[in-house]
Amino acid sequence: VYRDDRPLTDWSEQPVGRVFVHLVTPPQWRRITGEAPPPSPVDRAAYTSAGLPWYDYYDADAEDLTPTDTLEAVKPAGEWLGDDLEPWQPPSKEQVTPLKDAPGRPVEDGDW
């Protein structure tokens, strides 16, 4: 999380929508949906080998904001998932898609 450099006038003062995200375990998924849970996500080596896109984030070098007291207690995923012992397989240049304010490609509203 980093400081927003846009003026407040760029933002709507009224909410325009909400999104609810629920993280569930496979047994919870089955109870909620009545369906088998989706398969486990692939690891980064399989993802790269399949030729799937990776994304380059233009502000990767931006400085973080100081976390709030609540967020300060949040630990990086690696600390509770454990070490990734598989060797890194870098994606090919064709697999990397730039994100954020890519020149000439403004973000637009979608059809909701």
Side-chain angles (χ1 to χ4, degrees), residues 12 15 82-83 90:
S12 173
D83 292 331

Side-chain angles (χ1 to χ4, degrees), residues 39-52:
S40 295
V42 298
D43 62 16
R44 66 182 179 200
Y47 191 93
T48 299
S49 296
L52 296 170

Side-chain angles (χ1 to χ4, degrees), residues 75-92:
K75 301 292 181 210
E79 288 185 21
W80 52 273
L81 286 178
D83 292 331
D84 185 354
L85 302 176
E86 295 295 321
W88 167 244
Q89 295 184 13
S92 67

Side-chain angles (χ1 to χ4, degrees), residues 1-89:
V1 177
Y2 57 94
R3 188 169 311 284
D4 187 358
D5 58 356
R6 293 171 285 204
L8 286 177
T9 55
D10 282 359
W11 299 100
S12 173
E13 293 185 24
Q14 301 300 318
V16 294
R18 294 190 302 177
V19 174
F20 295 93
V21 177
H22 300 273
L23 302 178
V24 298
T25 64
Q28 290 169 327
W29 178 276
R30 188 177 302 278
R31 277 196 307 276
I32 293 167
T33 68
E35 301 172 352
S40 295
V42 298
D43 62 16
R44 66 182 179 200
Y47 191 93
T48 299
S49 296
L52 296 170
W54 288 91
Y55 298 94
D56 188 14
Y57 187 64
Y58 283 101
D59 284 348
D61 297 327
E63 291 189 29
D64 292 341
L65 293 176
T66 304
T68 64
D69 291 340
T70 303
L71 291 178
E72 194 170 37
V74 175
K75 301 292 181 210
E79 288 185 21
W80 52 273
L81 286 178
D83 292 331
D84 185 354
L85 302 176
E86 295 295 321
W88 167 244
Q89 295 184 13

